Each structure stands twice: as structure tokens, then as C-alpha cells.
Amino acid sequence: MASSAQPTQDAKRMEDSHAHLVDPAEKLRRVEIDVLIPKMMKKRAMEQCGDAVKAFTECCRGRTISIMWKCREVNEGLDNCLRANLTDDDFLVAKAEYIVLREANQAKLAAGGGAKSVPTTEKVGGI
């Protein structure tokens, strides 16, 4: 039985890319748009939500299955904090930071600083 229901908001969010926020002149690869820059965003969001992360970690300590109901409110607080810090505006900030880091890395490579020409996660702020 095929379902004709519309995808849920979460499913839609999972399918979305940030490609609509990228100017073709920036020449960003798909992996940079969908993996590296979001990884930078997530790192920054986790730092900004440190108290919520700490509270969730403490709630989960020593629990297994009961995490689902004992830590629900704490998890919702963490989720809300992360959602507030993973917006399109945050993507644009992270993208600008990534482009600066990438250009610095490319300049270093052009000056003979190494053999690799593709930025890796280690070269992008150690994420």
C-alpha cells in the first residue's frame, strides 16, 4: 500500500541542502556545501549550547532505555537550542569563514606548503 501523504517537516529538512544559499561564483563543491560547512556550524552550535549539552549528558549518565522518558524535556531544550543555532544565517557565517580558511590553505599550497590540493576537515579549523 503506497502512501500519498506529504513528507513530514523533519523529512523535508533532512532532504534540504544549503545549495540555495551559495553563489556559483564561490565555486563550492557539493561536499563543502553539504558536509564541511554544516560540520563547522554544528561545532559552533554545540559550543553555544554548552549548558544544554551538559544538562543532557548528566541526565543520560547511568541510564539506558529510560533516557527516552526521563530526559525528554532536557533533550527538547537541547534540540531547540541547536535548531536556533543552525539557521540559514549561521550557514552564511560558516560559509564565509570556510571560504577564508580555504583560500588561506590554497595560498599555502600554491607557495609549496604541501602536496594535497583538497581541503580536508583537519585543514578547516580542525573540525
Side-chain angles (χ1 to χ4, degrees):
M1 180 165 133
S3 174
S4 62
Q6 295 287 5
T8 64
Q9 183 65 23
D10 286 337
K12 174 115 176 75
R13 185 171 47 93
M14 299 279 288
E15 294 171 3
D16 285 347
S17 170
H18 290 100
H20 66 282
L21 298 172
V22 177
D23 180 11
E26 293 168 329
K27 297 182 180 174
L28 290 172
R29 297 172 296 147
R30 190 83 180 175
V31 71
E32 292 169 319
I33 297 167
D34 292 338
V35 178
L36 298 176
I37 296 172
K39 198 180 261 192
M40 292 174 70
M41 290 171 57
K42 186 172 182 179
K43 181 181 179 188
R44 184 177 295 124
M46 293 296 272
E47 290 169 356
Q48 292 175 344
C49 297
D51 293 338
V53 170
K54 201 176 289 186
F56 183 69
T57 303
E58 285 301 315
C59 183
C60 292
R61 195 170 314 260
R63 299 183 197 279
T64 54
I65 272 280
S66 65
I67 290 173
M68 292 189 303
W69 58 87
K70 292 283 187 179
C71 302
R72 181 173 290 155
E73 289 179 13
V74 178
N75 186 38
E76 287 174 4
L78 175 59
D79 188 48
N80 290 337
C81 182
L82 291 174
R83 286 178 192 267
N85 288 290
L86 293 172
T87 63
D88 285 351
D89 291 336
D90 294 307
F91 178 84
L92 294 173
V93 169
K95 178 183 75 167
E97 181 182 325
Y98 176 82
I99 290 171
V100 168
L101 290 171
R102 182 182 71 169
E103 288 173 355
N105 184 50
Q106 289 174 346
K108 178 181 160 187
L109 291 170
K116 292 185 180 179
S117 62
V118 178
T120 64
T121 56
E122 289 81 31
K123 293 179 185 173
V124 183
I127 302 170

